[in-house]
């Protein structure tokens, strides 16, 4: 039987460790029931502190935390009915796999027969059926991560918290485990909050993401919204490479910049406003591209070939522009190319950080 999906509401959260510098400064977040929600940001942005406050390991200086209609701001961690997956897995080396998974059930006094049934269900969910008698030391890193996940969900938490759970795995395993964690969270029917500094992890796995910087939330949205329509330089640069070109609004649907005049979709600020034109490299299309967009003439400065794609550095006028090309033809430095940028592929940002 699945636990009820739990919405989480964070309002006006403030936290300081020294009484002077705010690690978190007025955090507001609404997380829907059953959502896989990511807290994404660099080191020191406050994402782990926010997770620890939600878990009950820390108490805020100001603000409230609610699980559905319950105010849990000062409720002890052990009474919050959460599951936790840590960066280092925190598995017991003297227990076998089944013993590790059953640990939380033992603490809760679950009867032996029910305990075994739930352990078997949890191991099946993480695709480790038949591994119960193995020692932790016999498992690969990916298998240990699955055990940690099974241990967290076997207690049927109302909320699952994951703190950089893949950071100790190699790149291949991280890629594999992203989809596994999403599958398990959805199958378990649990609201999950996931902390990471890895933008690829967040973009490929999350329902929604909060990008954090300097103890504040810079922007919240779906992966596609954040990547294609960032609202600040901070978000644009953190979520991947971006061409950021200073520009001036010169019409209801046009910008004037060093690339020339760019036609843009969507509303723009007032005429004369200084902005940044944000264009992702894969949206800079080499070739004619038709007549419904912005056609520019460029010169290939250099490039890197990756097999299925190439990354080119182009020069348009005096401006260097990155372009990503799938199934790329052979190109050489100095080649002249035509570049096409669709109006809908240009995001307009404030000319501020």
């Amino acid at each position: 039987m699945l636990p009820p999906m739990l919405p989480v509401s964070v309002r006006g959260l403030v936290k300081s460790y020294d009484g002077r510098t705010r690690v978190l400064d007025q955090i507001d977040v609404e997380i829907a029931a059953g959502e896989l929600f990511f807290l994404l940001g660099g080191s020191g942005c406050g994402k782990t502190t926010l997770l620890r406050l939600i878990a009950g390991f820390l108490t805020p200086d100001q603000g409230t935390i609610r699980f559905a209609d319950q105010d849990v701001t000062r409720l002890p961690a052990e009474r919050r009915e959460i599951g936790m997956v840590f960066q280092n897995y925190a598995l017991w080396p003297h227990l076998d796999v089944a013993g590790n998974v059953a640990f939380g059930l033992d603490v809760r006094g679950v009867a032996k027969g029910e305990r075994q049934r739930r352990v078997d269900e949890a191991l099946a969910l993480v695709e480790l059926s038949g591994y119960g008698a193995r020692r932790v030391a016999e498992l690969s890193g990916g298998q240990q991560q699955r055990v940690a996940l099974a241990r967290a969900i076997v207690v049927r938490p109302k909320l699952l918290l994951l703190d950089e759970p893949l950071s100790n795995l190699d790149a291949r395993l991280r890629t594999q485990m992203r989809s596994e964690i999403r599958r398990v969270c959805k199958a378990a029917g649990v609201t999950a909050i996931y902390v990471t500094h890895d933008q690829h992890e967040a973009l490929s796995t999350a329902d929604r993401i909060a990008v954090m910087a300097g103890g504040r939330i810079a922007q919240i949205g779906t992966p596609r919204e954040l990547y294609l329509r960032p609202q600040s330089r901070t978000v644009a640069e953190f979520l991947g490479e971006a061409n950021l070109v200073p520009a001036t609004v010169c019409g209801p649907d046009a910008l004037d910049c060093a690339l020339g005049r760019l036609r843009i979709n969507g509303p723009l600020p007032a005429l004369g406003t200084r902005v940044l034109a944000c264009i992702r490299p894969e949206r800079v299309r080499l070739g004619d591209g038709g007549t419904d967009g912005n056609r520019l003439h460029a010169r290939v400065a250099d490039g890197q070939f990756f097999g299925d794609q190439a990354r080119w550095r182009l020069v348009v006028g005096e401006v260097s522009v990155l372009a990503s090309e799938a199934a790329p033809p052979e190109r050489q430095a100095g080649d002249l190319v035509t570049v096409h940028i669709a109006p809908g592929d240009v995001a307009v940002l404030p000319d501020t950080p």
Side-chain angles (χ1 to χ4, degrees):
M1 181 178 178
L2 299 179
M5 293 186 181
L6 185 76
V8 177
S9 177
V10 173
R11 288 291 183 183
L13 219 59
V14 173
K15 181 64 180 177
S16 172
Y17 291 114
D18 61 9
R20 299 185 303 275
T21 304
R22 289 186 171 186
V23 179
L24 294 178
D25 189 7
Q26 295 295 329
I27 298 293
D28 294 320
V29 181
E30 299 292 332
I31 301 170
E35 190 170 30
L36 180 50
F37 190 89
F38 272 58
L39 302 175
L40 174 66
S43 178
C45 72
K47 59 188 185 295
T48 296
T49 296
L50 178 53
L51 193 77
R52 291 174 66 83
L53 286 164
I54 294 171
F57 301 151
L58 298 172
T59 302
D61 301 327
Q62 298 176 32
T64 60
I65 303 168
R66 301 186 71 86
F67 293 176
D69 295 329
Q70 182 185 15
D71 187 335
V72 300
T73 309
R74 283 167 174 77
L75 192 70
E78 63 271 17
R79 294 177 56 194
R80 296 196 185 192
E81 299 184 70
I82 63 169
M84 191 91 187
V85 180
F86 297 95
Q87 181 177 344
N88 64 356
Y89 315 149
L91 300 177
W92 298 104
H94 65 287
L95 297 177
D96 60 16
V97 168
N100 270 279
V101 175
F103 182 79
L105 300 177
D106 294 339
V107 172
R108 289 164 173 81
V110 176
K112 183 177 180 180
E114 173 68 5
R115 183 171 68 237
Q116 185 61 54
R117 186 182 67 80
R118 287 168 63 172
V119 168
D120 290 344
E121 285 180 353
L123 288 176
L125 188 60
V126 300
E127 299 183 345
L128 286 179
S129 294
Y131 281 71
R134 296 202 187 185
R135 313 300 296 183
V136 169
E138 298 173 355
L139 304 180
S140 68
Q143 289 169 334
Q144 290 183 25
Q145 182 56 268
R146 291 170 189 261
V147 174
L149 189 55
R151 183 183 58 188
I153 63 176
V154 76
V155 297
R156 296 175 180 166
K158 292 183 177 178
L159 180 66
L160 179 63
L161 305 179
L162 304 103
D163 187 8
E164 300 271 10
L166 304 183
S167 60
N168 289 333
L169 301 180
D170 62 37
R172 181 184 62 82
L173 275 175
R174 282 201 304 272
T175 300
Q176 176 186 338
M177 285 301 296
R178 289 171 195 164
S179 59
E180 284 300 296
I181 285 179
R182 180 174 178 84
R183 178 187 63 79
V184 170
C185 288
K186 295 302 180 182
V190 65
T191 306
I193 303 175
Y194 188 125
V195 161
T196 186
H197 65 277
D198 187 326
Q199 65 266 36
H200 298 296
E201 202 170 301
L203 289 170
S204 64
T205 313
D207 290 324
R208 284 192 307 146
I209 302 166
V211 179
M212 297 186 65
R216 294 176 176 266
I217 292 179
Q219 188 177 345
I220 296 176
T222 67
R224 180 173 291 274
E225 288 168 350
L226 293 178
Y227 186 78
L228 296 180
R229 288 290 179 264
Q231 295 174 358
S232 67
R233 178 194 289 266
T234 296
V235 174
E237 292 181 330
F238 194 81
L239 287 176
E241 291 184 300
N243 297 295
L244 297 174
V245 184
T248 302
V249 178
C250 62
D253 62 351
L255 301 178
D256 187 26
C257 65
L259 299 176
R261 176 164 290 198
L262 296 179
R263 290 198 298 112
I264 311 295
N265 286 350
L268 289 173
L271 288 176
T273 303
R274 296 286 298 170
V275 296
L276 290 175
C278 174
I279 310 162
R280 296 293 185 185
E282 66 276 8
R283 302 291 171 164
V284 179
R285 296 179 173 89
L286 279 67
D288 183 37
T291 60
D292 61 342
N294 301 290
R295 294 179 71 243
L296 310 172
H297 299 291
R299 174 176 54 84
V300 176
D302 54 52
Q304 294 176 294
F305 179 69
F306 299 102
D308 61 339
Q309 64 174 315
R311 181 62 56 93
W312 308 108
R313 185 170 64 87
L314 310 176
V315 177
V316 181
E318 300 299 321
V319 181
S320 180
V321 175
L322 290 176
S324 181
E325 188 176 26
E330 186 171 351
R331 301 186 189 278
Q332 304 293 331
D335 285 354
L336 299 179
V337 294
T338 299
V339 170
H340 175 259
I341 302 172
D345 288 338
V346 183
V348 178
L349 316 180
D351 191 10
T352 55

